[in-house]
Amino acid sequence: MSEVVALGELLIDFTPAGKSEKGNQLFETNPGGAPANVLAAVARLGGKTGFIGKVGADQFGHFLQEVLQGLGIDTSGLLVTNEAQTTLAFVHLTADGDRSFSFYRDPGADVLLCADELRAEWFGHTRFFHFSSNSLTAEPARSATHKAIQLAKAQKALISFDPNIRLPLWKEPHRIKEQIEACLPHVDFLKVSREELEFVTGCSDLSEGTLWLHDKFGIRVIFVTLGVEGCYFRVGEQTGMQAGYTVKTVDTTGAGDAFCGAVLYRLLQISDPAACEVEQLAEIVDFANAAGALSTAKMGAIPAMPTFAQIEQLRKTVTSP
Ligand code: ATP
């Protein structure tokens, strides 16, 4: 029984790992992909999770399957194909820990997930279904994502969406907005970055942009994560801001996913998350800010997801006199 189910890309993030004796760049094979990262964050905190996606029948695919299983993530929904290779991403880091990506996905196995391969039992007892826009880039994964939303809603699960836009993954970048907007009416919890808010709403003002999303699509809870600054959020007509935590950042890959996973884990502890109030959300956002910050203090995404004790320790250290 998975309390949180996520669907989407599961890939290898090749993260920079110093230089060889010859002076060439070395890369480490880190498991990644936003929806899997979110589940890794929930699982590290103790939540029950299940992943839906597709990898290639290659060494990387087997490795990713083992990693998810090692984290206790249910992989009944992880399919393996001979028709494409596991998707690969190379991460390039700047001196301050920020990064850019090169993707090898033409198509990657993750894009080949089909709607008719989804099974209703994967969503039994699910409380949250989470996805990103990277499974909306092309068919057949796009239709599979929409079918999954319907299967999750049929089980009364709440829908969590982090667009996590990666422009190089889109062959038709002019369709990103339309594809995201097609999903938004179903979304209960939306997490965007400041740039994504502006991209989707055309508005850089946090209050106006989130109000537009609330009014147009009926999304009650919206988080706008602001990197080291923390997170601005909206709950219906009310808004709040929680400052971030300062840590020694080495790699920001997966910070947004650590944030999302921490939010979902905390929402699991509430009997009616859809009705949570602004004060309750402020405390959850503070917890998630600490999770996001801690994830930047280690290389990679999945290996950097913090435990509950580490998060509470950081919160105590900063708030105690
Ligand atoms: P990603 O695309 O890597 O998933 P994102 O743009 O979705 O990231 P961010 O806003 O970068 O999300 O990060 C999510 C949260 O993690 C922030 O709201 C903040 O709490 C925390 N965070 C991110 N970067 C840092 C940092 N350098 N120092 C401290 N906290 C950070």
Side-chain angles (χ1 to χ4, degrees):
M1 185 197 95
S2 300
E3 300 163 305
V4 183
V5 168
L7 174 149
E9 73 281 12
L10 178 61
L11 49 80
I12 304 286
D13 276 329
F14 286 89
T15 50
K19 297 264 163 120
S20 71
E21 280 176 11
K22 292 182 197 155
N24 294 327
Q25 178 69 57
L26 297 174
F27 287 94
E28 183 179 357
T29 51
N30 271 299
N37 292 344
V38 170
L39 292 188
V42 176
R44 185 68 49 81
L45 290 167
K48 294 194 177 73
T49 58
F51 182 78
I52 300 172
K54 206 173 248 193
V55 288
D58 48 47
Q59 290 299 326
F60 291 132
H62 297 313
F63 167 65
L64 290 166
Q65 192 167 17
E66 275 170 22
V67 169
L68 295 198
Q69 286 168 352
L71 290 164
I73 297 171
D74 183 351
T75 56
S76 316
L78 177 60
L79 309 178
V80 180
T81 180
N82 282 310
E83 289 170 38
Q85 310 270 10
T86 301
T87 299
L88 308 178
F90 283 79
V91 184
H92 310 285
L93 296 184
T94 60
D96 59 0
D98 245 330
R99 76 271 187 247
S100 64
F101 296 90
S102 319
F103 289 100
Y104 293 78
R105 186 205 205 204
D106 198 20
D110 62 300
V111 183
L112 301 187
L113 183 70
C114 297
D116 61 11
E117 293 176 309
L118 302 188
R119 305 222 313 256
E121 60 261 34
W122 294 341
F123 299 88
H125 306 288
T126 296
R127 294 189 60 204
F128 291 95
F129 172 68
H130 179 85
F131 69 109
S132 85
S133 68
N134 298 324
S135 57
L136 301 171
T137 56
E139 292 293 359
R142 183 181 294 160
S143 295
T145 307
H146 285 282
K147 168 104 178 272
I149 293 170
Q150 296 312 324
L151 289 170
K153 286 178 74 160
Q155 295 292 332
K156 309 241 176 315
L158 295 168
I159 309 297
S160 159
F161 181 40
D162 172 4
N164 210 39
I165 300 170
R166 297 284 177 260
L167 285 174
L169 289 180
W170 291 80
K171 288 222 164 69
E172 307 166 300
H174 59 282
R175 298 197 64 192
I176 301 179
K177 213 167 148 183
E178 149 206 329
Q179 291 302 325
I180 288 177
E181 288 197 356
C183 295
L184 290 179
H186 302 294
V187 173
D188 299 291
F189 293 87
L190 175 68
K191 178 221 161 289
V192 286
S193 64
R194 191 197 288 271
E195 298 73 31
E196 286 167 340
L197 180 72
E198 193 168 349
F199 179 85
V200 175
T201 67
C203 177
S204 60
D205 182 87
L206 301 180
S207 174
E208 274 180 40
T210 53
L211 187 59
W212 185 84
L213 286 167
H214 171 259
D215 290 347
K216 181 159 184 191
F217 300 104
I219 309 170
R220 182 166 180 266
V221 180
I222 302 167
F223 306 99
V224 187
T225 58
L226 306 168
V228 66
E229 289 171 51
C231 176
Y232 174 93
F233 61 99
R234 171 176 293 281
V235 189
E237 299 298 323
Q238 294 185 287
T239 63
M241 171 75 207
Q242 287 295 127
Y245 287 85
T246 305
V247 296
K248 206 160 177 281
T249 294
V250 294
D251 177 9
T252 59
T253 311
D257 305 328
F259 179 96
C260 265
V263 166
L264 293 178
Y265 173 76
R266 290 295 308 275
L267 290 173
L268 282 174
Q269 323 303 319
I270 298 175
S271 58
D272 188 4
C276 62
E277 295 301 336
V278 71
E279 297 78 19
Q280 208 171 14
L281 231 343
E283 197 273 322
I284 290 176
V285 168
D286 182 67
F287 179 88
N289 276 341
L294 285 166
S295 76
T296 72
K298 276 193 190 170
M299 293 299 289
I302 288 179
M305 295 305 173
T307 63
F308 190 88
Q310 288 167 333
I311 295 171
E312 288 304 346
Q313 181 61 39
L314 178 63
R315 295 176 83 196
K316 251 192 249 152
T317 315
V318 174
T319 52
S320 58

